[in-house]
Amino acid sequence: MDAHATTADPLASTHHGAPRGLARWLTTTNHKDIGTLYLWFAAVMFLVGGLMAMLIRVELFEPGLQVVQPGLFNQLTTMHGLIMIFGVIMPAFTGFANWQVPLMIGAPDMAFPRMNNWSFWLLPVAGALLIGSLFLPGGAVAGGWTMYPPLYLQGGISYDLTIFAIHIMGASSIMGAINIATTILNMRAPGMTLMKMPLFVWTWLITAYLLIAVMPVLAGAVTMLLTDRNFGTHFFDAAGGGDPVMFQHIFWFFGHPEVYILILPAFGIISSVIPTFARKPLFGYASMVYATASIAILSFIVWGHHMFTVGMPAAAQLFFMYATLLIAVPTGVKVFNWVATMWRGSMTFETAMLFAVAFVCLFTIGGFSGLVLAMAPVDIQLQDTYYVVAHFHYVLVTGALFSIYAGIYYWLPKWTGHMVDETLGRWHFWLSAISVNVLFFPMHFLGLAGMPRRIPDYALQFADFNRIASLGGFVFGASQILLLWVILKCIRGGRRAEAKAWEGAEGLEWTVPSPAPYHTFAQPPEVK
Ligand code: CU1
């Protein structure tokens, strides 16, 4: 084929001498390539963080120490949290943004393609530092992903390395966010007004603002830790007149908006998938946009709900409690809008839709347990118990992760040019959806019964529910191999995707003008 006749994608590197192989991936500025890199990076980190979770569940399978000693156990829980948040969920959503945002708004690429490349390639460096700290003398950070002083003021070189890794990941996130926001605000096709954008684009625009607002706050907090540890400052050191609780205030001023960074793009994906398979436009589009913005604004005034037990005045407890409960209103608007979209629609249940419906049901469980924890008197009882662990795993696994699965099954045909294997996909869905509840639901009971989190061993009374949770965990972990199989199979071949992959569907996303609907990154255009 003549390279100049390859008009399928005017931006693909089809000219002579274009980098191939590793050089192509290292130097690429193509938003689709970079989206693919982000997604594979998330997949690799998911394997690492997931294997850590499996080890944790093996250790907790029965009382009495078995496979890991307490020190290593605490390192594993810390690393599992940091890896899943900064290495899996955030990069996966950024991968979706890279692939879909330019296509959805009719832009030729991201606004800053070279910065896009740099944003991605910082991540493997940070990931290597983070995982590498496990192998340093003294092991990795064991104080939990929240890095509270005074514990964090002690510890070896791995603590400094983790701070450095967080700085790098923060820089990557800020650059990614600036890129996405600039692309959305400046590069929309004529006629693509803000209120016509697909909701996924809206949720990412708002997420980008959250990232730009709070990642520097996290960077400031860990920099103060770094100077406390190495340069004689006493920001958080009570012995020098500092205040350890101040760290918690700064950390959670970042940390609570961060949880919406981890869930708003999920709302966007679900708002793309459900209308397609209900064959109706999204119900209440404008209210979805305003609800997303309201959640983002409220997220800045609720951080104190993570700190009800530090001894804050009752008036402050009440403020943070009511502000937190208020978030249920826009979140409820969203859930009702998804249900109303499905209401009397011509629904079919392809794997993408199954994960989306499961998201609506199971994320809502996480939302409700969040309301329980928002109530200060209840939270004081449940602080640092497995109820908290149950809550945020419903939000992050059956919420954020399931939305990523829904997005993968939904957009793989667009990304690869091939339909997914629906039979395998349904096995993956049902095994995951059942086992994930066996894994996390009993943790509510453990928490209510008083089992503390972040411990390698426990009292005999907690044995039964822990064994059930571990069994669920092993099945859930093993089931994810099916997903890898589906993805590899889809990249390598399969039934060709039609111009409209999902039959009879009128999802907005598929009608947005895109010069190359099925850019097959697995088979780049031939060059003579
Ligand atoms: Cu929070």
Side-chain angles (χ1 to χ4, degrees), residues 252-399:
W252 286 113
F253 186 80
F254 143 82
H256 194 85
E258 168 70 18
V259 307
Y260 292 106
I261 289 165
L262 298 170
I263 204 66
L264 292 185
F267 292 165
I269 294 170
I270 299 306
S271 301
S272 299
V273 173
I274 287 181
T276 299
F277 299 101
R279 290 164 184 82
K280 280 170 66 191
L282 184 68
F283 185 90
Y285 171 89
S287 69
M288 285 297 221
V289 174
Y290 300 134
T292 311
S294 310
I295 291 171
I297 292 163
L298 285 172
S299 77
F300 285 102
I301 56 163
V302 298
W303 77 90
H305 63 210
H306 296 272
M307 309 166 52
F308 283 141
T309 55
V310 298
M312 66 170 72
Q317 291 192 6
L318 285 175
F319 170 79
F320 287 122
M321 174 174 115
Y322 288 131
T324 304
L325 294 173
L326 206 56
I327 296 186
V329 177
T331 311
V333 166
K334 283 177 170 290
V335 172
F336 282 118
N337 279 344
W338 290 321
V339 173
T341 305
M342 290 187 270
W343 182 253
R344 305 190 72 172
S346 310
M347 289 205 286
T348 53
F349 295 94
E350 286 82 352
T351 311
M353 181 63 158
L354 289 172
F355 273 111
V357 175
F359 173 98
V360 175
C361 302
L362 299 176
F363 170 77
T364 304
I365 293 179
F368 280 135
S369 59
L371 288 176
V372 172
L373 289 169
M375 288 182 277
V378 181
D379 183 77
I380 287 165
Q381 295 294 310
L382 294 175
Q383 169 102 33
D384 279 334
T385 69
Y386 257 86
Y387 195 91
V388 180
V389 179
H391 156 67
F392 68 73
H393 280 92
Y394 265 88
V395 174
L396 290 174
V397 179
T398 62

Side-chain angles (χ1 to χ4, degrees), residues 92-172:
F93 282 151
T94 313
F96 279 109
N98 264 284
W99 259 101
Q100 291 305 126
V101 165
L103 300 182
M104 285 176 160
I105 62 173
D109 203 305
M110 298 287 279
F112 308 111
R114 284 175 196 276
M115 188 169 81
N116 205 14
N117 172 293
W118 185 228
S119 300
F120 172 76
W121 281 110
L122 281 178
L123 275 185
V125 178
L129 282 177
L130 201 59
I131 297 169
S133 70
L134 263 172
F135 304 99
L136 290 174
V141 171
W145 83 278
T146 51
M147 304 174 283
Y148 283 0
L151 189 62
Y152 213 92
L153 296 180
Q154 288 128 38
I157 181 78
S158 64
Y159 285 63
D160 301 306
L161 215 63
T162 302
I163 289 172
F164 188 37
I166 287 170
H167 275 132
I168 298 174
M169 291 187 287
S172 162

Side-chain angles (χ1 to χ4, degrees), residues 242-257:
D243 182 5
V245 172
M246 179 56 73
F247 177 85
Q248 297 190 25
H249 281 292
I250 301 170
F251 181 85
W252 286 113
F253 186 80
F254 143 82
H256 194 85

Side-chain angles (χ1 to χ4, degrees), residues 486-518:
V486 169
I487 293 171
L488 292 176
K489 198 173 167 187
C490 188
I491 291 172
R492 293 170 66 91
R495 186 160 67 83
R496 221 178 141 62
E498 302 292 319
K500 213 173 186 181
W502 304 113
E503 213 154 314
E506 42 180 320
L508 292 165
E509 283 65 28
W510 294 89
T511 60
V512 169
S514 154
Y518 306 114

Side-chain angles (χ1 to χ4, degrees), residues 55-108:
L55 258 178
I56 290 168
R57 283 323 315 174
V58 169
E59 175 56 45
L60 294 174
F61 185 71
E62 58 185 23
L65 293 175
Q66 294 125 59
V67 291
V68 291
Q69 291 306 302
L72 179 57
F73 184 88
N74 290 340
Q75 295 173 31
L76 287 172
T77 54
T78 305
M79 285 295 128
H80 167 73
L82 285 170
I83 287 172
M84 289 303 196
I85 290 169
F86 292 105
V88 180
I89 306 286
M90 290 169 74
F93 282 151
T94 313
F96 279 109
N98 264 284
W99 259 101
Q100 291 305 126
V101 165
L103 300 182
M104 285 176 160
I105 62 173

